[in-house]
Amino acid sequence: MSQEKTLNPADVAIGAAIRRRREALNITQAQLADAAGVTFQQIQKYERGSNRVAAARLMQIADKLRCHPADLLGVPADAPGDALADLGRTHDGVALARCFVAMTPEDRQALMIIARALAAKPKPTPTQLRPVA
């Protein structure tokens, strides 16, 4: 009698965080597997949430992904966070950081002027986002 395995939502969320971080750093599953001492198939299982990541293994994975293990465990959306960690959690955050570091000091200063102006802009309300009929 076979039983279908139900995936634990926490395992799925941790696996998704590992995948997002790995892809943001352009690290292959095989490279991550080598660093963690497992097969790439095991990394696939972690990323799908079909296998649970042990704490010691999570620490190895986080080390290769250059982040704190807590970054892979997830933080509630309403919890205040470290700005650098928050940047790393965004879709383009790591790429933005790489670009920023590659810029000249003058270009960084110009980008910061633009970034501060955009951050200070009032955010539209949901009613303002609706198309006008």
Side-chain angles (χ1 to χ4, degrees), residues 21-100:
R21 181 76 181 176
R22 178 183 61 76
E23 288 176 346
L25 296 173
N26 294 316
I27 294 172
T28 66
Q29 287 180 330
Q31 290 169 326
L32 184 56
D34 286 343
V38 297
T39 64
F40 82 90
Q41 292 95 336
Q42 184 62 44
I43 296 297
Q44 288 175 331
K45 291 175 183 179
Y46 290 153
E47 290 184 354
R48 281 194 310 264
S50 58
N51 280 19
R52 183 164 290 154
V53 184
R57 186 78 64 215
L58 186 68
M59 292 175 72
Q60 290 174 304
I61 290 170
D63 185 54
K64 176 65 177 177
L65 297 178
R66 300 189 307 259
C67 66
H68 192 279
D71 293 333
L72 302 173
L73 296 176
V75 175
D78 59 348
D82 171 25
L84 289 176
D86 290 346
L87 179 67
R89 288 185 191 103
T90 64
H91 175 69
D92 292 325
V94 174
L96 178 63
R98 281 192 184 126
C99 291
F100 187 83

Side-chain angles (χ1 to χ4, degrees), residues 112-130:
M112 286 306 302
I113 291 168
I114 295 167
R116 286 186 183 108
L118 290 172
K121 247 175 64 173
K123 307 300 179 262
T125 64
T127 56
Q128 290 172 323
L129 294 176
R130 289 188 204 152

